[in-house]
Amino acid sequence: MDRGTARPSPGRRARDTVRPRHPPVQSHFRKVPDDPGTTALRNDFPAPVPADGVTYPSVAHAYWALSTTDPDARAAIRDANTVYAARDIAAGASRRDGWEQARTAVMTALLRAKYTGHPALARILLDTHDATLVYDDSDSGFWGDNGGRGRNWTGRLLELVRSELRAEQAGITLSEPGAAEG
C-alpha cells in the first residue's frame, strides 16, 4: 500500500448504527380512524395507488389485482368494497406466472407509489424515525410478523421506503437501475 493512502485504524470503524434508537412500531386496525396515525401504514388503508395504468383504492387492492392477468378479475378487485373481498376475488382467479418470485418487487413499487403520491402518509412513515416496523398480518406469515413467526416483509419494505424518503429529503439522488450516467 502506498504511504499516502489512508488506512482505517484497526480499533475504529465507521459509525453505522445497528440498533434503532426508537421502539418498534406495530400497525393494526379494524376500521379507519379519524386520526389514522400508524394505521395509515397498513396496505389496506384507503389511499389511491396507480399501477399498470389503473388507480386502485389501496395498496392491497393493487397487489391482488396485479397477481392475476384475468382482466375481469382485475376489474372486480379494483371495484371491491373491501380488501377482504378483493383478496377473495384474487383467490378465485389464476395466479400470474412467476408471481411468487415477483411479488416482493411488486409490493415495493406499490409502497413507493403510495408514499410518494401521498405526502401526508409519507410524513407518518417518516415520523417512525428509525424504529423497526412490525407489520401485523395474521393472514400471512410472509408479509406479516404473525406473532414473531412471520417474515415481516411488509415491515421491512416500509423501512426501505422510509429510508428512500429520508435520502430524498437529504438531497441524495438515487439513480434508476439502468439509467445512463452523465
Side-chain angles (χ1 to χ4, degrees):
M1 182 180 266
D2 182 54
R3 281 187 183 265
T5 305
R7 290 185 190 184
S9 51
R12 297 186 65 195
R13 294 188 180 162
R15 185 177 176 101
D16 191 8
T17 306
V18 175
R19 295 177 196 217
R21 292 180 298 188
H22 294 84
V25 172
Q26 195 157 8
S27 177
H28 50 81
F29 75 99
R30 292 289 173 231
K31 67 177 190 143
V32 179
D34 292 334
D35 177 11
T38 58
T39 60
L41 304 180
R42 303 284 307 166
N43 292 339
D44 47 359
F45 187 81
V49 176
D52 202 23
V54 177
T55 299
Y56 294 92
S58 72
V59 165
H61 282 83
Y63 173 83
W64 288 116
L66 294 174
S67 74
T68 182
T69 56
D70 178 341
D72 293 333
R74 289 177 84 166
I77 291 167
R78 180 198 63 223
D79 297 338
N81 289 331
T82 68
V83 170
Y84 304 107
R87 182 189 61 203
D88 289 346
I89 295 164
S94 59
R95 202 65 48 237
R96 181 184 293 271
D97 286 340
W99 181 248
E100 292 293 314
Q101 295 77 29
R103 64 185 174 161
T104 308
V106 169
M107 183 63 79
T108 306
L110 292 172
L111 291 172
R112 283 184 183 126
K114 175 181 177 178
Y115 293 103
T116 57
H118 299 279
L121 300 181
R123 172 65 9 220
I124 292 168
L125 179 58
L126 288 165
D127 284 348
T128 63
H129 303 286
D130 67 345
T132 299
L133 299 178
V134 179
Y135 194 82
D136 237 354
D137 187 344
S138 59
D139 293 334
S140 173
F142 182 79
W143 293 116
D145 178 65
N146 205 2
R149 296 179 308 276
R151 297 185 62 193
N152 193 37
W153 268 105
T154 301
R156 295 176 191 195
L157 295 176
L158 285 168
E159 290 175 25
L160 172 68
V161 171
R162 178 182 65 197
S163 179
E164 292 172 347
L165 292 169
R166 286 266 184 246
E168 184 179 318
Q169 279 185 334
I172 302 169
T173 304
L174 304 172
S175 62
E176 295 289 323
E181 292 184 25

